[in-house]
């Protein structure tokens, strides 16, 4: 199978301590449900309400869908392995998980930058916003996001498929991610490490830089607002957005910028939890549930369900 002797992998999971597994199972199950239901509610609210069919909310819809795919590609399998003694995943299942996770990772990073650009145009050029962020621009931006995400995922998954796994099949992680798979490979991984480094610099560092630049312009525009209340609300929104964005980019940059030989999996599992579960859970709260239009849209969904 793709020059690989290994037909399945054993996933060690979050911890080797049985007394902690029950607690971690409850925490991850609860967090996953919060993330899944929160993002699904956003998807339904935006699709159901015609008033939310604007560029900002279409980008939020895309972010929610990416978060659903990200968490669902990892957490259900993790929870299943925690319930059984057979903690394995097939070679094909591992590669599929790797592809969908890498796709969602790339999509989310570029989406954060796109959303920051949308807010930059809305706040710095309010009179020209409708002309700049029209239907065609929105479709073009989303197409770029999807194209970058797919290419990124194809490249890294394709390079992993070329590797030979002939020794240990034990993944010291809670899902199939590039770093632990590189650590298991019997064949040279130099080209993989170079491509991961290039992707980390261009996608993670590059997008984070562009996002921060957009928010610098937004903050400069906010400082020109005359009312104290207006400034307070705007700063509150910007700061919460930047915190969530930093919580996502920082661990991703930290994880993927290092060579395979320097991975410390016990610590890296905690770091990975930030961008696989914590950020997808926080995104609906920070980007949507605090928004008055989204609140109104969600109320309409609940009112519809009641009837």
């Amino acid at each position: 199978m793709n020059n690989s002797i290994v037909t399945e992998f054993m996933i060690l999971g979050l911890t080797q301590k049985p007394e902690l597994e029950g607690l971690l199972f409850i925490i991850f199950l609860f967090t996953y449900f919060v993330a899944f239901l929160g993002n699904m509610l956003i998807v339904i609210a935006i699709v159901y309400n015609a008033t939310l069919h604007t560029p900002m909310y279409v980008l939020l819809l895309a972010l929610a869908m990416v978060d659903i795919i990200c968490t669902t590609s990892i957490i259900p399998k993790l929870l299943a392995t925690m319930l059984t003694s057979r903690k394995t995943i097939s070679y094909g299942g591992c590669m599929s998980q790797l592809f969908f996770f890498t796709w969602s990772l790339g999509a989310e990073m570029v989406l954060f930058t796109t959303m920051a650009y949308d807010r930059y145009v809305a706040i710095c050029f309010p009179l020209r916003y409708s002309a700049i962020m029209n239907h065609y621009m929105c479709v073009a931006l989303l197409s770029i996001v999807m194209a970058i995400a797919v290419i990124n995922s194809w490249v890294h998954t394709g390079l992993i498929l070329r590797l030979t796994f002939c020794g240990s099949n034990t993944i010291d992680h809670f899902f199939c991610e590039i770093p632990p798979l590189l650590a298991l490979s019997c064949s040279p991984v130099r080209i993989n490490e170079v491509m991961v480094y290039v992707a980390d610099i261009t996608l993670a560092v590059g997008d984070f830089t562009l996002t921060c630049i957009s928010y610098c312009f937004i903050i400069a525009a906010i400082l020109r607002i005359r009312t104290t209340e207006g400034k307070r609300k705007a700063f509150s929104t910007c700061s919460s957005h930047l915190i969530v964005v930093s919580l996502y980019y920082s661990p991703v940059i930290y994880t993927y910028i290092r060579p395979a030989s320097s991975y410390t999996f016990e610590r890296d599992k905690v770091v990975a939890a930030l961008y696989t579960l914590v950020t997808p859970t926080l995104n609906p709260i920070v980007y949507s549930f605090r928004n008055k239009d989204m609140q109104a849209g969600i109320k309409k969904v609940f009112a519809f369900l009641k009837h």
Side-chain angles (χ1 to χ4, degrees), residues 168-187:
S168 171
N169 71 334
T170 304
I171 298 175
D172 191 3
H173 207 357
F174 60 90
F175 70 103
C176 291
E177 194 176 14
I178 294 171
L181 287 170
L182 294 185
L184 284 183
S185 174
C186 300
S187 47

Side-chain angles (χ1 to χ4, degrees), residues 85 130 143 146 178 209 269:
S85 57
S130 297
S143 299
M146 293 303 114
I178 294 171
T209 303
K269 289 175 190 178

Side-chain angles (χ1 to χ4, degrees), residues 12-16 21 24 28 78 82 173-174 266 269 273:
L12 290 184
L14 293 161
T15 180
Q16 298 304 298
E21 280 220 324
L24 288 171
F28 271 69
L78 166 65
M82 292 173 79
H173 207 357
F174 60 90
E266 285 305 314
K269 289 175 190 178

Side-chain angles (χ1 to χ4, degrees), residues 26-305:
I26 293 168
I27 291 171
F28 271 69
L29 178 64
F30 174 76
T31 311
Y32 172 66
F33 270 121
V34 171
F36 182 83
L37 293 174
N39 284 294
M40 188 58 74
L41 188 58
I42 288 169
V43 171
I44 295 168
I46 294 173
V47 170
Y48 177 71
N49 290 279
T51 55
L52 299 179
H53 295 175
T54 61
M56 184 178 86
Y57 295 109
V58 170
L59 293 174
L60 281 174
L61 170 66
L63 182 67
M65 292 175 71
V66 168
D67 282 337
I68 289 169
I69 293 169
C70 176
T71 52
T72 304
S73 67
I74 296 168
I75 306 304
K77 179 62 180 176
L78 166 65
L79 296 173
T81 57
M82 292 173 79
L83 285 176
T84 61
S85 57
R86 185 173 169 79
K87 301 180 184 297
T88 58
I89 185 170
S90 68
Y91 181 88
C94 184
M95 293 304 109
S96 297
Q97 190 180 68
L98 175 70
F99 178 85
F100 284 109
F101 168 71
T102 309
W103 175 85
S104 61
L105 193 71
E108 186 133 353
M109 286 189 287
V110 185
L111 263 175
F112 276 138
T113 306
T114 308
M115 290 165 68
Y117 172 73
D118 173 73
R119 291 299 84 207
Y120 158 71
V121 175
I123 292 171
C124 297
F125 305 98
L127 299 178
R128 294 171 57 195
Y129 177 76
S130 297
I132 297 171
M133 288 299 295
N134 54 38
H135 172 75
Y136 300 104
M137 175 62 84
C138 191
V139 170
L141 289 173
L142 283 175
S143 299
I144 291 168
V145 170
M146 293 303 114
I148 291 172
V150 169
I151 292 168
N152 179 60
S153 191
W154 271 348
V155 167
H156 294 297
T157 307
L159 288 172
I160 292 289
L161 286 167
R162 292 173 63 250
L163 299 179
T164 302
F165 300 98
C166 54
S168 171
N169 71 334
T170 304
I171 298 175
D172 191 3
H173 207 357
F174 60 90
F175 70 103
C176 291
E177 194 176 14
I178 294 171
L181 287 170
L182 294 185
L184 284 183
S185 174
C186 300
S187 47
V189 296
R190 183 61 182 165
I191 184 72
N192 297 73
E193 290 181 340
V194 169
M195 291 308 294
V196 166
Y197 183 81
V198 169
D200 199 42
I201 294 298
T202 53
L203 283 180
V205 177
D207 281 316
F208 187 40
T209 303
L210 289 173
T211 302
C212 288
I213 290 170
S214 293
Y215 277 105
C216 284
F217 282 111
I218 290 169
I219 290 167
I222 290 169
L223 290 172
R224 292 195 292 269
I225 296 174
R226 293 180 181 180
T227 62
T228 306
E229 182 63 20
K231 280 185 181 180
R232 189 189 65 77
K233 285 182 179 179
F235 271 122
S236 174
T237 302
C238 274
S239 60
S240 59
H241 286 191
L242 281 172
I243 288 168
V244 171
V245 164
S246 300
L247 267 176
Y248 192 80
Y249 282 114
S250 300
V252 169
I253 293 168
Y254 165 79
T255 299
Y256 288 96
I257 208 163
R258 298 169 296 151
S261 57
S262 68
Y263 298 133
T264 51
F265 293 111
E266 285 305 314
R267 184 175 63 221
D268 291 348
K269 289 175 190 178
V270 178
V271 174
L274 289 174
Y275 54 83
T276 57
L277 192 58
V278 174
T279 305
T281 306
L282 291 176
N283 281 343
I285 300 166
V286 172
Y287 282 99
S288 299
F289 294 159
R290 297 170 65 194
N291 180 292
K292 288 181 180 179
D293 291 334
M294 274 301 304
Q295 288 173 3
I298 290 167
K299 284 177 183 176
K300 285 183 182 178
V301 171
F302 282 121
F304 175 78
L305 292 173

